[in-house]
Amino acid sequence: MSGTHEPTGRVNVNTVAEAAQVSRQTVTNVLRHPERVAPETLTRVQAEIVRLGYRPSAAAQSLQASRAGAIGVELNALGAEYHNAVMAPFVAELTLAAPGHSFHMVTFGSPTHTPTLESYQQLWRGRVVDAFVLADTHVGDPRPAWLRDQGIPFASFGRVWDYPAFTRWVDVDGHHGTGLAVAHCVDAGYATIGYLGSPDGVSVVADARRSGWQDGCRATGRAPGPDRSGPDELDAVRRVADELVAAVGPGGAVVCVTDLHAVAVLHAVWRAGLEPGRDIGIVGFDDSELARMHGLTSVSQPLAEIARTALELVHEALGGDATRADGVLLRPGLTPRGSTRRTDTPPLDATRPLTGTKEEEKT
Amino acid sequence: MSGTHEPTGRVNVNTVAEAAQVSRQTVTNVLRHPERVAPETLTRVQAEIVRLGYRPSAAAQSLQASRAGAIGVELNALGAEYHNAVMAPFVAELTLAAPGHSFHMVTFGSPTHTPTLESYQQLWRGRVVDAFVLADTHVGDPRPAWLRDQGIPFASFGRVWDYPAFTRWVDVDGHHGTGLAVAHCVDAGYATIGYLGSPDGVSVVADARRSGWQDGCRATGRAPGPDRSGPDELDAVRRVADELVAAVGPGGAVVCVTDLHAVAVLHAVWRAGLEPGRDIGIVGFDDSELARMHGLTSVSQPLAEIARTALELVHEALGGDATRADGVLLRPGLTPRGSTRRTDTPPLDATRPLTGTKEEEKT
């Protein structure tokens, strides 16, 4: 396994300079302009480069001295048991964006839910990657503080709750997203607007989505409709969805914490003998494959922009740039589909997502 | 971007040996036992190593001379428009299996459906990866023959239809899988067993699944039930699913070409006022997230075994081993869930997948 036979610590231009008792610039000259270096020094530095196994990559020979040109991303959320609908498309967006930043992406993971802290260290010490992009962060996540303590550079998709001084994160404003969903339902003419969420306190992310729905309702001068909670399992949330559809009633709409909850509401609407969209509006969250295949209106996370921003933050970390005052909070958009299409309103163009900005222009 | 400033071709131990006019062994000695090398030769070889930018990795310094220790996998199937339910879990399984083969996985992709042949070449020439694992192969796929012509090593998950001499592939016996599905429905007591597939000739994979259903029915002494086709889109396949449920009738079952088709049948069963499992059996294919979240019995691809086998085939390719006489065809299993549970039969243990072998023991 890579890293097993590595010396502790990474061999970089400084290691070579120290060993050969020359400056960093001399090492760089040996690599790029050997004709400028005195023969005896040249021989000595070359011998140290070979002895230490210093590997100046193609990238290293240009601007980015001593870089592997790779960023690691852990696939812990791709396992069978735990489902994060945006993890796979986010890794795809990172993969597409990486070459524009002179990086490629290296995936790694653990067969269990436990993050493999040792894998982070091995990949970094073994010089397989220069830094990491974390995803799927949560309260109690041991990775950020541990990476900081190890001096391993990283950026995060998702706020780092347990390490507030860390600002190299990019996240999506979930409160704004469910607010957009409410505004969209009001525009479409739905009366009561209910909510199907995760149980309170399960995650900060879910709590922000619920409060966005509440504030969104109040912003349009109406009281929040019925509010129910159920776990991220289609079967378990079924009965709750039936209750909620009965409580909201025809002419109402349900805003949901995830697309999976929205699928449960869709099933409940059918079981009640009603027509999704025409009788009951449904809005999901994540604009995942599940929302697309079920024709569900959904709040969309700007994954391509999140990926680009995460890579920029990694660049800043590697460049030793000053830490930003705060993380980057992006506004989600909303993709309208049939589940909020009423027969008495003209069909929406499902191919054009409404961005947060456009939604604001309406008000 | 990595590879942009690379010389054409890869710098390996032979390149260094030629440039320094010494043997490969001498280059290896310079790296591993410099004390055995005459001073003048040592200086000359070290100078060439540095000049050429030859990078003996940790792995290269042990057994695998001149290897990057990485395998590339293209994420073309993770895009928003085209959905391959097993692509993300397959990449996760490759990622988990790779360290056991002293590799890590590097992802790459293109924003369009078109495979980026140039990316394969750049990653390989730039020594970012040693070889590739192809996935999601299909008839007319330009990648296999092109990689062969470039001399780039690879293995494939999926048969390589246009290049029959290539046998470094691993695939799943879809014909066996739908046969298992039929046998399972017959065991559960369903009478008529219908099929919801892709249109004929769309893919060799889909055709094998349909013929497995036909042969499976005949093997149990019954005529194949109603056979309908619809595209991989939930909305488009909806009407076909309604027709098929009516044609099969209560007490019958439907075997499906994908889990998405099975979800369409599930919806049709509800619309018909029937209960999935009790009234109509439903079996999907792929045992994807979609099947798990909907409680659908599904034919399961052994993705972990496929990933391990693909990496073994890559090892053989890199080791210059003789090509096998034929590819590796693995048998799928079947994961029973509520969608084939009848009230008059004892509940099946949903946590224990039936393997192909176990299913055979029954007959």
Side-chain angles (χ1 to χ4, degrees):
Chain A
M1 210 175 306
S2 171
T4 311
H5 303 291
E6 291 285 328
T8 49
R10 302 169 73 168
V11 175
N12 56 32
V13 70
N14 293 321
T15 324
V16 175
E18 263 180 48
Q21 297 182 290
V22 296
S23 68
R24 280 171 58 106
Q25 185 56 50
T26 302
V27 177
T28 305
N29 282 342
V30 166
L31 293 168
R32 301 172 71 180
H33 310 286
E35 72 284 0
R36 298 186 192 164
V37 183
E40 194 210 344
T41 309
L42 183 66
T43 304
R44 192 169 77 244
V45 174
Q46 285 169 340
E48 288 302 334
I49 287 172
V50 174
R51 185 181 70 80
L52 292 166
Y54 174 50
R55 295 172 290 162
S57 64
Q61 289 174 27
S62 59
L63 282 175
Q64 310 165 316
S66 83
R67 292 219 181 135
I71 305 294
V73 61
E74 187 185 356
L75 300 188
N76 66 317
L78 287 184
E81 290 170 54
Y82 168 66
H83 184 65
N84 177 336
V86 300
M87 192 68 200
F90 176 61
V91 170
E93 293 294 351
L94 277 177
T95 295
L96 292 179
H101 291 263
S102 305
F103 287 125
H104 57 268
M105 298 305 303
V106 168
T107 57
F108 65 105
S110 143
T112 69
H113 289 201
T114 319
T116 52
L117 296 178
E118 294 70 22
S119 296
Y120 283 87
Q121 193 168 47
Q122 278 184 2
L123 287 172
W124 189 71
R125 285 219 175 141
R127 240 181 132 271
V128 174
V129 304
D130 300 308
F132 296 92
V133 170
L134 300 188
D136 204 45
T137 56
H138 52 87
V139 173
D141 191 334
R143 299 174 299 172
W146 189 88
L147 290 170
R148 173 198 57 192
D149 294 346
Q150 303 291 318
I152 299 177
F154 70 101
S156 168
F157 168 23
R159 273 157 282 194
V160 174
W161 317 96
D162 306 296
Y163 170 14
F166 180 81
T167 55
R168 293 201 205 278
W169 55 258
V170 52
D171 206 348
V172 170
D173 185 347
H175 181 277
H176 182 77
T178 43
L180 272 184
V182 171
H184 172 72
C185 290
V186 169
D187 281 353
Y190 295 105
T192 308
I193 300 180
Y195 190 75
L196 180 57
S198 303
D200 257 341
V202 159
S203 91
V204 188
V205 169
D207 292 350
R209 294 182 188 179
R210 170 170 274 120
S211 70
W213 158 74
Q214 289 165 335
D215 293 344
C217 288
R218 289 174 195 131
T220 65
R222 70 191 64 203
D227 179 0
R228 297 286 187 285
S229 297
D232 267 19
E233 289 163 34
L234 209 45
D235 218 48
V237 84
R238 184 156 294 174
R239 204 170 44 82
V240 178
D242 284 333
E243 282 172 26
L244 184 56
V245 165
V248 166
V254 178
V255 172
C256 301
V257 65
T258 72
D259 286 333
L260 187 133
H261 289 77
V263 170
V265 174
L266 182 74
H267 292 174
V269 168
W270 281 331
R271 274 194 298 273
L274 299 171
E275 183 65 26
R278 188 194 65 190
D279 300 322
I280 303 252
I282 311 170
V283 184
F285 202 114
D286 279 341
D287 200 15
S288 66
E289 182 60 27
L290 209 54
R292 283 190 292 274
M293 68 173 62
H294 287 89
L296 291 167
T297 297
S298 189
V299 177
S300 59
Q301 306 208 33
L303 292 178
E305 193 178 353
I306 294 166
R308 282 196 304 272
T309 307
L311 292 171
E312 281 165 24
L313 293 169
V314 162
H315 258 301
E316 292 180 12
L318 290 172
D321 293 7
T323 302
R324 292 164 185 241
D326 207 349
V328 179
L329 196 61
L330 298 174
R331 288 195 158 185
L334 186 129
T335 306
R337 295 196 182 85
S339 71
T340 51
R341 199 173 294 153
R342 310 193 74 193
T343 46
D344 53 352
T345 55
L348 294 165
D349 179 3
T351 61
R352 182 181 56 87
L354 300 175
T355 66
T357 313
K358 277 184 187 150
E359 197 65 20
E360 285 176 330
E361 285 168 2
K362 285 186 186 173
T363 58
Chain B
M1 209 177 305
S2 172
T4 311
H5 304 290
E6 291 285 328
T8 49
R10 303 170 72 167
V11 175
N12 57 32
V13 70
N14 292 320
T15 324
V16 175
E18 262 180 49
Q21 296 182 291
V22 297
S23 68
R24 281 172 57 107
Q25 185 56 50
T26 302
V27 177
T28 306
N29 282 343
V30 167
L31 293 167
R32 300 171 72 180
H33 309 288
E35 71 284 358
R36 297 187 192 164
V37 183
E40 195 210 341
T41 309
L42 183 66
T43 303
R44 191 168 77 245
V45 174
Q46 286 169 339
E48 288 301 333
I49 288 172
V50 173
R51 185 181 69 81
L52 291 166
Y54 174 51
R55 294 171 293 162
S57 65
Q61 289 173 27
S62 59
L63 282 176
Q64 309 165 316
S66 83
R67 293 221 180 134
I71 306 292
V73 61
E74 186 185 356
L75 300 188
N76 66 319
L78 286 185
E81 290 169 53
Y82 169 66
H83 184 64
N84 177 337
V86 300
M87 192 68 200
F90 176 61
V91 170
E93 292 295 350
L94 277 178
T95 295
L96 293 178
H101 291 263
S102 305
F103 287 125
H104 56 268
M105 298 304 303
V106 168
T107 56
F108 66 104
S110 142
T112 69
H113 289 202
T114 318
T116 52
L117 296 178
E118 295 70 23
S119 298
Y120 283 87
Q121 194 169 46
Q122 279 185 0
L123 287 171
W124 189 71
R125 286 220 175 140
R127 241 180 131 272
V128 174
V129 304
D130 300 309
F132 295 92
V133 170
L134 299 188
D136 204 45
T137 56
H138 52 88
V139 173
D141 192 334
R143 298 173 299 172
W146 188 89
L147 290 170
R148 172 198 58 192
D149 293 346
Q150 303 290 319
I152 300 176
F154 70 101
S156 168
F157 168 21
R159 273 157 283 193
V160 174
W161 318 96
D162 305 297
Y163 170 14
F166 180 80
T167 56
R168 294 200 204 278
W169 55 258
V170 51
D171 207 348
V172 170
D173 185 347
H175 181 276
H176 182 79
T178 42
L180 272 183
V182 171
H184 172 72
C185 289
V186 169
D187 281 354
Y190 295 105
T192 309
I193 300 181
Y195 190 74
L196 180 57
S198 304
D200 257 340
V202 159
S203 90
V204 187
V205 169
D207 292 349
R209 293 182 188 179
R210 170 170 273 121
S211 71
W213 159 73
Q214 289 166 334
D215 293 345
C217 288
R218 289 175 194 131
T220 66
R222 70 191 64 203
D227 180 0
R228 296 286 188 284
S229 297
D232 267 20
E233 289 163 34
L234 209 44
D235 218 48
V237 85
R238 183 156 293 171
R239 204 170 44 82
V240 179
D242 284 334
E243 282 172 25
L244 185 56
V245 165
V248 166
V254 178
V255 172
C256 301
V257 65
T258 72
D259 286 334
L260 186 133
H261 289 79
V263 170
V265 173
L266 182 74
H267 292 174
V269 168
W270 281 331
R271 275 194 298 272
L274 300 171
E275 183 66 24
R278 188 193 68 190
D279 301 322
I280 304 254
I282 311 170
V283 184
F285 203 113
D286 280 342
D287 200 15
S288 65
E289 182 61 27
L290 209 53
R292 285 190 291 276
M293 67 173 61
H294 287 90
L296 292 167
T297 296
S298 190
V299 177
S300 60
Q301 307 209 33
L303 292 179
E305 194 179 351
I306 294 166
R308 282 196 305 272
T309 307
L311 292 170
E312 281 165 24
L313 293 170
V314 162
H315 258 301
E316 292 179 11
L318 289 172
D321 292 8
T323 301
R324 293 165 185 241
D326 207 350
V328 180
L329 196 61
L330 298 174
R331 288 194 160 187
L334 186 130
T335 306
R337 296 196 181 85
S339 70
T340 51
R341 200 173 291 151
R342 309 192 75 192
T343 46
D344 53 353
T345 54
L348 294 165
D349 178 358
T351 61
R352 180 182 56 88
L354 300 176
T355 65
T357 314
K358 275 182 187 153
E359 197 66 18
E360 284 174 332
E361 285 168 3
K362 284 186 185 174
T363 58

